[in-house]
Amino acid sequence: MGGLEKKKYERGSATNYITRNRARKKLQLSLPDFRRLCILKGIYPHEPKHKKKVNKGSTAARTFYLLKDIKFLLHEPIVNKFREYKVFVRKLRKAYGKSEWSTVDRLKDNKPSYKLDHIVKERYPTFVDALRDLDDALSMCFLFSTFPRTGKCHVQTIQLCRRLAVEFLNYVIASRSLRKVFLSIKGIYYQAEVLGQPVTWITPYTFAHDHPTDVDYRVMATFTEFYTTLLGFVNFRLYHSLNLLYPPKIDGQADVELKPAEGKEYAMDSESYLEKLSALSASLARVVAPTHEDEVEMDEFPVEGETAEQMDARKKEQEALEKHKKLFEGLRFFLNREVPREPLAFIIRYVVGRLSLGRPATPCLPPPVTLRVPPPQWVFDSVNAKLCLPVADYFPGVLLPPHLSPFVTEQEGDYVPPEKLKLLAMQRGENPGDSEEEEEEEEEEEDENDKEEEEEEDESEKEEEMKLKKMEEQKTQSNKVTAGKLRLEDKQRLEQEQQSEEKRLAIMMMKKREKYLYKKIMFGKKRKVREANKLAAKRKAHDTAVKEEKKKSKKARRA
Amino acid sequence: MSPGAAYLDVCILCPERGGRGHTSPNEAQPVVVQGTGVGGPTPLSPLQLWRSVIALPASAIPVHPSPAPCRPGRRQRVCLGRGLDITQLSYPLPPFLPAPPQHPGVHLLEMVSPALTPLPSAPLQDIRNTVGNIPMEWYQDFPHIGYNLEGKKIYKPIRNKDELDMFLEKMENPDYWRTVQDKMTGADIKLTDEQVDLVHRLQKGQFGDVHFNPYEPAVDFFTHEVMIHPVTNRPADKRSFIPSLIEKEKVSKLVHAIKMGWIKPRKPKDDTPTYYDLWAHEDPNSILGRHKMHVPAPKMKLPGHEESYNPPPEYLLSEEEKLAWEQQEPAERKLNFVPQQYRCLRAVPAYSRFIHERFERCLDLYLCPRQRKMRVNVDPEDLIPKLPKPRDLQPFPTTQALVYRGHTSLVRCLSISPSGQWLVSGSDDCTVRFWEVCTARCMKTLPVGGVVKSVAWNPNPTICLVAICVEQSVLLVNPCLGDKLLYGATDQLLESYVAPEEERVQPVQWVTATMEEHSKGVRLVVQHSKAVKQVTWHGKGDYFASVVSDNSNMQVLIHQTSKRWSQNPFRKSKGLVQCVLFHPIRPYFFVATQRYVRVYNLLKQELTKKLMTNCKWVSSMAIHPGGDNIICGSYDSKLAWFDLDLSTRPYQLLRHHKKALRSVAFHKHYPLFASGSDDGTVIVCHGMVYNDLLQNPLLVPVKVLKGHAMTLDLGVLDVLFHPTQPWVFSSGADSTVRLYT
């Protein structure tokens, strides 16, 4: 045989991947720089299909990058900036050591800096791509904006994050795109629909952070560096899509009002601006003055292949959305001091409620017709349910109804908590007012049923006794021939049995791989059912316990 | 000189300022201070005195701008504070005085002390000490205290006063309070009135000079108005109009650096806005292959009801669940938090792992290897193969019809007469029983004195003969059942044997039964050298093969009944033989070893095929009546169906039993086959073989028959089909034989 000897691992998948260390050497970067580059450029390791082949026969745990990705990084201009920065730091240190202050000043003037614009454009070639990846960016910015300014990261970063977060909130208010809110024990989840893309983010509750020691803040800061750039550009585009000025300006009229009359500024200009913006209570200035009633009726373009039903459904959806947007129309909210201000202000502003802070009704306004004092959960639940829930359930002193996650859409076979069922019924327009009475009635009925059941049980016991007696009799008269009983065969059941047997036999004939898959799927299904049953049982036990307690207390009251 | 240090030695070293003003430097009055005097009897040590002086504010120390009365002596630089300019002043210093010290404090004191030496009381006697600036403790143990100018020792003054004397002196001497001891000479010095006055003034923070007026009217030397005349009349320096060489050098260096590109002009400020419309021109060409290959990170899981601050009660963990949650590894937990219920929103605390979770998400984003995985989204019902319904494949046995009881131990083997009327079963209780199939009646019991491993009824309908394996021999038994003519004819056939003239060497011994045995039905005994484990008849009913448990080439033997003649067909052992089988039509012989089935052509005496069973240990084998298909059962609970025309590998491998297969069987006429297993079931399958060679056989399991009780972890040991009816017999470890119809 002629030709060169073919060596192993020189072709195929082994050449498509590169280990991290080799990639680092190829790029001539230190590990922190490499990490930073990967974070900024969005390069992540890949799991090869045949790890052993790629690993050249070894089974050691290694992370692999695509060789193409690393080659792509080679051309990145930021890599050079990293090197420049390293040199800069070295020079600066030297100048400090020699106390050459003029050199220090000169060096600081020429500090190398880089921009991430091109990377954002490269990673997200279209705007929709950027929107899809906004979840983490928002969550991170909201987290960083709550950090204390004590050296966990640069103060400028924190301020920038705060600004961008507030700007985004203002956009959501202006565009009316909030869809869901959820108070979890971790923080508050929000979901907005921005240009058709669901964007979900979480904000922590406003407490001081207990900064953990086992977290590398440098990694988080690098992520934030990229996210702030991304969010800035996204905000710009979003504001312009609404014809709003960016950076946002508070609407002229409000601006005049807010300015102190003496012309003295009580705080730094930029800070007060951010404060005003983050109050979320003023509307924003537009590029083009809004014409009144610019809500033009949308023309309907029937999409091909869409049936009338679908059209109707879409229309209904639209109507529901409109209704949702005008949920709190005409209501006026007074926030108490102890409620978290920002999330509530955000939500109430979003659904066109009008917001006053702290002070109860000001004299110049007509006094509110009915004064209700629902807890904040009512607002959140109403927004999620897309209707004004009855306030009676939420009055102070009453045990609050559970707060359900709006992100869960139960599929068939999943466990649905009864509160959700009630809510769904309410959304369908069924009368929720009678439900309590019904419940009470039901309770009574149930009591009756219980009695009946008990009676039935007694009866059944009697029957059993009779049977036993008969059996004994039969035993004693074993030699006698008794009339045969006609055994009725349950045809349905027989058929079912037959079908299940057929199925069992067919499963026997499955191929090994398919059988494995089938068993896995069935296992998952069974587990789901088991969990749903468990939850249902727990609920039942809880309900009965509560009922009994009620009964006891009632009896105690009667006695 | 370190900035900030104020040198205050001026006024002290000019004691003449304190009073006279015109004294010559040599007569300079030493400043000798004694205690406060205001009734304070304790004398101040010089150090204390100096401390008190130094503690004064710097401004309180008079600095004389005009040193006119002094003779120009050494110039002393006085610096008060960092920002103050230098004031130069001359004042007299004693010629012997050492250079002014670098630091204030103790050294100052030492510097002053020589000035104190000339006692006013004895101006003629010069007893100045020359030891210099040293700690005087060094002279503690010596009688002298130093040396005078002539180099003579200065002796310490005699001090013979005791405490009492001291006290008396203190009480009696009116000048005691102004008497100070000079450390350098050890002599007592009495301060003059002026000196005491000076000390008092300094203590009060006043100027040492009585005549000094600190509040003299200020004179503006320079005004803000531009004067017509220059302040000085001095002509301009030459250097002010000649270019500086040093500057020239510096400039040329800079020019060189600029030329070489070492110094760059300041970069113009980047005036592009921070944020702009980045996606103004969305270019479809910018979507590269990279973006298509991109595996986007999965989004964070959205929270469920259990994460609510006020979840429905069923989502809260019970005590046991909480305990289990705590004991789990953090990575294994289904929820990474414990669901909790709070009364109101106000009571919700901060979530302590919030930053952790964000950080972990960051790590996931940049460290986690990503892989595109195809998620199987199939309906499990679609995976089940569509098979013809068993109902359409009838007839097949469905229910247990009869149970044949009588054996007392495991029933290992079964066989049925070609007519289908009689059943024979061999058991571990050392008997062979003959049953009538339709009535389940035991017609005959034949004790054989050993465990029966295998029975086989002669398939020839004209012969009534059963071969039974008992230990080392094969018994040929005439059961004497059924048609009398038939079994009579069989006996005749056996008796008609004429021994050949020449005795031939045989691997076995053919022995005619004794009278006693004959009466039981045994006709012939074929004695092997080792235990026999299987016997099987050829379809014609003349030949039968037996398998001996041995490792040599003597494992398989073929016997001819009519000639009472046995032969060993193989020269070499190919492994442990499990079972053998004759082809129903053609002269083929199947030998199953542990993993392979070998097919031999008996006429050509050669190996035709070797079938790979893909099993670990073959237990049994059966052949389709057509002769082209074989099934093999194995102890690793597999059943392999071979199509001999198709391949040497199994056409299908069925894994429908849960435990080892013990036996398999084909029906003679119906397209049925059955397998019995240790899990106590008999599975009957429809196995249709088509005449059309292009169509593969159709295998459909049609019935799982259960009935045998499990004993000793064994279930069904043998299965057998009725020759004409779609019935199946099974013998089990529960010492019964069952018939399913």
Side-chain angles (χ1 to χ4, degrees):
Chain A
M1 298 282 274
L4 287 171
E5 188 191 354
K6 278 176 191 167
K7 279 183 190 164
K8 243 182 167 183
Y9 310 124
E10 284 194 347
R11 283 178 307 156
S13 56
T15 52
N16 290 340
Y17 292 92
I18 186 168
T19 61
R20 189 184 62 174
N21 233 8
R22 275 177 54 212
R24 207 177 53 73
K25 271 179 192 156
K26 188 167 184 134
L27 291 169
Q28 300 186 3
L29 284 174
S30 65
L31 193 57
D33 274 347
F34 177 69
R35 181 196 297 151
R36 209 146 59 120
L37 189 65
C38 283
I39 291 172
L40 294 177
K41 291 283 281 181
I43 303 292
Y44 44 86
H46 283 256
E47 184 79 7
K49 216 170 192 181
H50 304 289
K51 205 160 182 190
K52 204 175 161 188
K53 260 186 211 169
V54 173
N55 214 348
K56 307 201 169 159
S58 155
T59 47
R62 284 207 181 95
T63 47
F64 292 99
Y65 288 85
L66 275 185
L67 190 66
K68 269 188 182 175
D69 282 351
I70 300 302
K71 279 185 178 163
F72 171 70
L73 285 183
L74 274 175
H75 305 293
E76 183 52 48
I78 270 193
V79 177
N80 271 334
K81 292 282 182 188
F82 285 168
R83 295 194 186 115
E84 269 175 36
Y85 193 82
K86 220 155 86 186
V87 173
F88 161 75
V89 169
R90 204 162 54 214
K91 280 181 180 168
L92 199 67
R93 205 186 301 132
K94 205 171 185 181
Y96 265 116
K98 288 181 171 178
S99 315
E100 291 173 350
W101 308 116
S102 61
T103 319
V104 167
D105 288 344
R106 183 172 52 79
L107 285 173
K108 277 188 175 170
D109 271 353
N110 292 331
K111 183 180 173 180
S113 65
Y114 52 85
K115 283 189 147 189
L116 299 175
D117 308 7
H118 65 284
I119 293 183
V120 173
K121 185 75 201 279
E122 195 177 81
R123 277 177 70 173
Y124 307 108
T126 61
F127 185 52
V128 177
D129 291 338
L131 284 182
R132 266 182 215 144
D133 228 6
L134 212 57
D135 290 12
D136 291 311
L138 278 171
S139 299
M140 201 64 151
C141 278
F142 273 97
L143 172 65
F144 263 65
S145 64
T146 58
F147 274 180
R149 301 174 182 193
T150 50
K152 280 289 168 211
C153 59
H154 293 296
V155 177
Q156 290 93 328
T157 315
I158 295 170
Q159 278 170 340
L160 182 64
C161 282
R162 173 79 188 144
R163 209 191 89 201
L164 291 171
V166 167
E167 282 170 5
F168 187 79
L169 289 187
N170 271 310
Y171 165 77
V172 172
I173 289 174
S175 67
R176 301 277 183 80
S177 50
L178 187 73
R179 291 290 172 272
K180 287 164 185 177
V181 204
F182 178 50
L183 300 168
S184 89
I185 52 174
K186 293 183 181 175
I188 306 178
Y189 287 88
Y190 300 94
Q191 190 173 55
E193 203 177 299
V194 181
L195 304 184
Q197 298 293 329
V199 177
T200 318
W201 72 96
I202 179 172
T203 62
Y205 288 117
T206 45
F207 289 104
H209 289 288
D210 182 15
H211 280 289
T213 49
D214 52 344
V215 161
D216 191 352
Y217 278 92
R218 282 175 306 173
V219 171
M220 286 180 53
T222 315
F223 267 102
T224 314
E225 192 183 352
F226 178 75
Y227 285 153
T228 47
T229 319
L230 170 67
L231 199 57
F233 284 115
V234 169
N235 275 351
F236 187 94
R237 173 99 180 189
L238 288 176
Y239 270 72
H240 278 250
S241 69
L242 284 188
N243 264 342
L244 293 172
L245 282 175
Y246 189 89
K249 275 194 185 125
I250 292 155
D251 217 357
Q253 191 192 347
D255 204 23
V256 171
E257 270 177 29
L258 279 168
K259 259 196 180 165
E262 296 94 51
K264 267 189 203 167
E265 301 207 350
Y266 65 95
M268 276 173 70
D269 213 11
S270 61
E271 271 184 24
S272 73
Y273 158 73
L274 192 59
E275 289 299 312
K276 280 175 212 161
L277 200 64
S278 58
L280 301 173
S281 50
S283 54
L284 302 174
R286 286 176 186 269
V287 177
V288 186
T291 51
H292 285 289
E293 304 305 319
D294 60 351
E295 285 177 23
V296 186
E297 187 82 6
M298 285 275 281
D299 288 341
E300 283 177 12
F301 296 105
V303 183
E304 267 181 56
E306 204 176 48
T307 58
E309 280 176 27
Q310 278 173 326
M311 284 272 283
D312 277 356
R314 221 165 50 138
K315 226 176 174 180
K316 258 186 195 170
E317 214 169 83
Q318 286 252 327
E319 275 169 18
L321 207 64
E322 287 302 310
K323 220 173 153 188
H324 187 206
K325 283 177 181 175
K326 288 172 184 169
L327 185 58
F328 293 152
E329 193 135 61
L331 295 185
R332 180 169 270 277
F333 290 83
F334 298 97
L335 296 190
N336 220 338
R337 259 192 328 188
E338 65 216 18
V339 298
R341 201 192 145 275
E342 197 178 292
L344 273 172
F346 174 48
I347 288 162
I348 293 166
R349 276 274 295 147
Y350 151 69
V351 271
V352 220
R354 292 184 66 191
L355 184 68
S356 300
L357 292 172
R359 288 159 290 166
T362 41
C364 58
L365 294 166
V369 183
T370 48
L371 196 67
R372 290 163 168 179
V373 199
Q377 195 193 319
W378 177 78
V379 178
F380 293 98
D381 280 349
S382 298
V383 168
N384 286 338
K386 296 176 185 167
L387 45 90
C388 268
L389 293 173
V391 193
D393 298 348
Y394 293 87
F395 275 148
V398 179
L399 197 68
L400 285 176
H403 179 60
L404 296 174
S405 166
F407 298 110
V408 182
T409 45
E410 277 93 357
Q411 272 138 14
E412 215 179 300
D414 286 354
Y415 172 72
V416 187
E419 288 84 8
K420 178 106 181 188
L421 289 175
K422 217 162 139 190
L423 189 76
L424 288 174
M426 231 186 274
Q427 278 173 343
R428 264 180 267 124
E430 287 162 26
N431 195 1
D434 304 335
S435 61
E436 280 179 27
E437 289 168 25
E438 277 172 21
E439 264 179 29
E440 278 172 21
E441 279 169 24
E442 270 172 27
E443 272 177 33
E444 282 166 21
E445 276 173 23
E446 270 175 27
D447 289 349
E448 283 166 22
N449 283 346
D450 285 349
K451 281 173 199 168
E452 279 170 20
E453 272 171 26
E454 279 166 24
E455 283 166 18
E456 274 173 22
E457 275 172 24
D458 289 348
E459 278 173 20
S460 62
E461 276 172 22
K462 277 174 197 169
E463 272 177 23
E464 271 175 29
E465 276 172 26
M466 291 285 280
K467 270 185 194 169
L468 279 175
K469 271 182 192 172
K470 271 184 191 171
M471 292 272 278
E472 277 167 23
E473 276 171 23
Q474 277 178 0
K475 270 182 192 171
T476 48
Q477 314 162 343
S478 57
N479 289 338
K480 272 186 188 174
V481 177
T482 47
K485 263 190 183 174
L486 188 68
R487 217 170 39 181
L488 277 174
E489 279 185 348
D490 195 349
K491 270 193 182 170
Q492 247 184 351
R493 207 181 134 198
L494 266 180
E495 203 156 291
Q496 244 178 16
E497 265 176 22
Q498 203 173 3
Q499 269 180 2
S500 68
E501 197 189 343
E502 271 172 26
K503 202 171 157 187
R504 236 180 297 137
L505 289 172
I507 288 169
M508 275 184 196
M509 286 304 287
M510 275 162 99
K511 278 176 197 157
K512 198 174 170 187
R513 189 184 294 170
E514 284 178 354
K515 203 191 249 175
Y516 173 74
L517 184 64
Y518 178 81
K519 277 187 179 163
K520 221 170 146 184
I521 295 173
M522 293 316 275
F523 176 77
K525 276 191 170 177
K526 270 181 196 162
R527 190 177 51 193
K528 226 177 189 179
V529 170
R530 208 165 52 225
E531 272 165 16
N533 287 345
K534 197 177 159 193
L535 282 177
K538 252 173 136 181
R539 178 68 185 219
K540 208 176 170 189
H542 178 263
D543 282 353
T544 49
V546 166
K547 219 182 246 178
E548 268 178 26
E549 220 156 80
K550 257 189 193 172
K551 267 186 193 173
K552 266 185 195 171
S553 63
K554 251 187 200 175
K555 273 181 192 172
R557 245 183 276 156
R558 274 179 202 165
Chain B
M1 277 182 126
S2 64
Y7 288 88
L8 308 175
D9 45 349
V10 185
C11 61
I12 305 306
L13 285 174
C14 305
E16 69 271 21
R17 294 272 162 264
R20 281 164 285 178
H22 289 286
T23 26
S24 73
N26 282 344
E27 294 167 81
Q29 293 291 319
V31 183
V32 182
V33 189
Q34 218 191 2
T36 48
V38 194
T42 42
L44 267 178
S45 76
L47 184 63
Q48 280 170 324
L49 169 67
W50 271 98
R51 288 242 170 92
S52 66
V53 173
I54 288 162
L56 297 174
S59 59
I61 309 296
V63 176
H64 301 282
S66 55
C70 300
R71 204 186 68 179
R74 293 175 67 166
R75 279 190 159 186
Q76 178 79 29
R77 191 167 246 215
V78 176
C79 180
L80 294 172
R82 197 178 176 184
L84 272 171
D85 207 354
I86 297 156
T87 311
Q88 289 187 340
L89 83 158
S90 327
Y91 55 92
L93 275 181
F96 53 80
L97 218 72
Q102 291 296 308
H103 299 287
V106 181
H107 295 288
L108 274 176
L109 172 73
E110 304 303 338
M111 205 175 63
V112 173
S113 35
L116 298 172
T117 37
L119 275 170
S121 53
L124 299 174
Q125 195 191 350
D126 191 9
I127 53 158
R128 274 179 294 187
N129 201 342
T130 56
V131 288
N133 187 12
I134 55 155
M136 293 313 290
E137 296 94 70
W138 292 355
Y139 285 93
Q140 227 170 18
D141 299 334
F142 296 97
H144 63 282
I145 203 163
Y147 305 89
N148 63 8
L149 284 175
E150 281 114 41
K152 299 268 171 62
K153 282 178 182 171
I154 305 172
Y155 289 95
K156 286 178 186 165
I158 301 155
R159 289 189 180 271
N160 47 4
K161 292 174 186 168
D162 55 1
E163 290 288 313
L164 191 64
D165 290 335
M166 295 270 273
F167 178 71
L168 286 176
E169 200 193 340
K170 190 176 166 186
M171 290 288 113
E172 286 163 6
N173 191 359
D175 292 334
Y176 181 80
W177 61 273
R178 58 166 74 180
T179 316
V180 175
Q181 196 193 5
D182 184 3
K183 248 196 178 173
M184 290 298 269
T185 56
D188 286 345
I189 303 165
K190 209 163 97 188
L191 297 184
T192 59
D193 283 346
E194 286 118 27
Q195 284 167 341
V196 171
D197 197 31
L198 173 67
V199 169
H200 280 173
R201 262 183 285 123
L202 288 179
Q203 274 181 336
K204 281 180 197 162
Q206 293 167 344
F207 284 92
D209 191 350
V210 186
H211 307 290
F212 180 74
N213 181 12
Y215 308 109
E216 275 176 12
V219 180
D220 269 351
F221 291 100
F222 302 99
T223 68
H224 63 282
E225 288 153 12
V226 180
M227 294 186 288
I228 50 167
H229 298 294
V231 179
T232 61
N233 207 11
R234 205 171 155 210
D237 279 330
K238 186 183 177 185
R239 64 168 181 268
S240 67
F241 48 84
I242 290 178
S244 158
L245 270 179
I246 298 167
E247 271 179 17
K248 191 183 161 195
E249 221 167 67
K250 276 186 181 168
V251 168
S252 70
K253 264 187 184 172
L254 286 176
V255 168
H256 181 65
I258 290 169
K259 272 185 189 165
M260 297 301 285
W262 299 334
I263 297 179
K264 278 175 198 142
R266 198 166 284 142
K267 268 180 219 157
K269 282 263 177 193
D270 194 9
D271 56 349
T272 50
T274 343
Y275 300 121
Y276 49 91
D277 196 355
L278 192 66
W279 293 278
H281 314 285
E282 273 183 10
D283 181 13
N285 291 335
S286 64
I287 303 170
L288 307 170
R290 290 186 50 72
H291 295 108
K292 284 170 194 159
M293 285 287 290
H294 174 63
V295 187
K299 292 199 168 184
M300 290 281 273
K301 220 182 125 208
L302 289 172
H305 296 313
E306 61 275 354
E307 208 180 308
S308 164
Y309 85 99
N310 183 14
E314 61 268 32
Y315 287 100
L316 296 173
L317 298 185
S318 64
E319 285 301 314
E320 301 121 46
E321 282 169 334
K322 216 175 267 180
L323 204 70
W325 186 89
E326 272 159 18
Q327 280 169 352
Q328 262 177 336
E329 287 285 314
E332 282 174 3
R333 286 172 188 161
K334 221 176 156 200
L335 293 175
N336 55 4
F337 58 93
V338 181
Q340 262 161 346
Q341 193 170 29
Y342 295 100
R343 209 166 26 78
C344 53
L345 185 57
R346 205 175 37 201
V348 184
Y351 182 59
S352 59
R353 288 192 56 82
F354 194 93
I355 297 178
H356 274 280
E357 278 182 12
R358 277 287 108 210
F359 178 61
E360 272 157 25
R361 172 71 178 168
C362 287
L363 291 190
D364 282 352
L365 283 178
Y366 91 96
L367 275 185
C368 242
R370 297 187 199 169
Q371 190 179 32
R372 227 178 248 284
K373 276 205 171 158
M374 301 311 280
R375 186 167 218 128
V376 187
N377 196 7
V378 287
D379 185 15
E381 301 302 318
D382 291 348
L383 289 173
I384 299 172
K386 295 276 167 291
L387 295 173
K389 295 219 160 139
R391 216 177 308 160
D392 308 335
L393 301 175
Q394 273 168 348
F396 54 84
T398 51
T399 47
Q400 180 180 306
L402 287 172
V403 181
Y404 302 81
R405 292 182 206 278
H407 281 296
T408 52
S409 188
L410 338 169
V411 186
R412 278 197 189 273
C413 44
L414 288 176
S415 189
I416 193 160
S417 70
S419 61
Q421 197 182 355
W422 314 105
L423 181 74
V424 60
S425 64
S427 161
D428 271 14
D429 59 0
C430 306
T431 57
V432 174
R433 282 174 187 262
F434 294 89
W435 316 83
E436 187 173 22
V437 167
C438 299
T439 55
R441 187 168 162 215
C442 181
M443 302 299 291
K444 208 171 172 186
T445 308
L446 178 68
V448 288
V451 173
V452 183
K453 287 281 175 64
S454 172
V455 291
W457 204 296
N458 196 323
N460 192 340
T462 57
I463 298 169
C464 184
L465 202 62
V466 178
I468 300 166
C469 290
V470 181
E471 290 175 346
Q472 297 194 358
S473 50
V474 176
L475 310 179
L476 294 180
V477 177
N478 188 347
C480 306
L481 290 172
D483 197 352
K484 207 167 191 175
L485 283 176
L486 203 68
Y487 64 77
T490 309
D491 276 348
Q492 277 178 5
L493 192 72
L494 286 175
E495 278 157 18
S496 65
Y497 167 72
V498 184
E501 294 158 9
E502 227 179 299
E503 191 74 16
R504 286 188 293 184
V505 186
Q506 289 198 30
V508 294
Q509 267 189 317
W510 290 76
V511 180
T512 324
T514 56
M515 284 307 287
E516 193 188 344
E517 284 173 341
H518 195 276
S519 65
K520 282 182 191 166
V522 181
R523 298 293 179 260
L524 281 171
V525 179
V526 187
Q527 285 178 340
H528 293 66
S529 53
K530 283 190 177 157
V532 186
K533 59 181 182 189
Q534 198 220 340
V535 62
T536 179
W537 286 98
H538 183 258
K540 293 258 171 65
D542 190 16
Y543 289 95
F544 68 92
S546 63
V547 180
V548 177
S549 41
D550 191 4
N551 247 343
S552 67
N553 60 336
M554 299 277 283
Q555 285 184 88
V556 183
L557 296 169
I558 295 179
H559 315 273
Q560 192 177 7
T561 327
S562 55
K563 291 185 181 164
R564 301 194 185 174
W565 161 243
S566 304
Q567 54 183 333
N568 174 19
F570 301 116
R571 239 170 296 148
K572 241 165 99 181
S573 159
K574 295 274 184 175
L576 203 62
V577 176
Q578 297 300 312
C579 54
V580 293
L581 202 64
F582 284 103
H583 192 282
I585 309 157
R586 268 166 288 189
Y588 287 132
F589 189 57
F590 299 90
V591 178
T593 53
Q594 269 186 27
R595 309 192 56 170
Y596 306 105
V597 176
R598 288 185 174 80
V599 186
Y600 295 97
N601 191 333
L602 288 176
L603 276 186
K604 289 183 186 165
Q605 301 199 339
E606 65 179 16
L607 179 72
T608 2
K609 247 176 205 167
K610 187 178 161 192
L611 308 177
M612 325 283 182
T613 58
N614 286 359
C615 305
K616 291 273 158 13
W617 198 312
V618 172
S619 66
S620 54
M621 183 169 56
I623 187 157
H624 189 266
D628 280 344
N629 294 281
I630 286 185
I631 50 174
C632 278
S634 77
Y635 289 117
D636 49 349
S637 56
K638 286 180 199 164
L639 189 146
W641 175 291
F642 291 96
D643 192 335
L644 292 179
D645 298 333
L646 203 67
S647 153
T648 57
R649 299 207 171 263
Y651 158 64
Q652 214 161 19
L653 208 57
L654 307 177
R655 292 181 185 80
H656 46 215
H657 278 291
K658 290 191 182 67
K659 280 188 179 170
L661 268 78
R662 287 275 164 184
S663 70
V664 289
F666 263 115
H667 198 280
K668 272 233 169 80
H669 306 296
Y670 291 106
L672 289 175
F673 65 94
S675 54
S677 152
D678 278 353
D679 57 7
T681 59
V682 175
I683 295 183
V684 181
C685 302
H686 175 89
M688 189 65 184
V689 177
Y690 299 96
N691 287 331
D692 180 9
L693 282 177
L694 290 175
Q695 204 166 3
N696 284 328
L698 171 75
L699 310 183
V700 184
V702 287
K703 190 70 190 170
V704 179
L705 298 169
K706 288 173 190 164
H708 284 286
M710 298 285 289
T711 8
L712 303 167
D713 266 352
L714 293 173
V716 180
L717 294 177
D718 201 2
V719 287
L720 182 72
F721 273 106
H722 192 274
T724 51
Q725 298 293 328
W727 297 348
V728 68
F729 299 91
S730 70
S731 71
D734 57 347
S735 57
T736 59
V737 178
R738 285 160 200 263
L739 168 66
Y740 303 92
T741 56

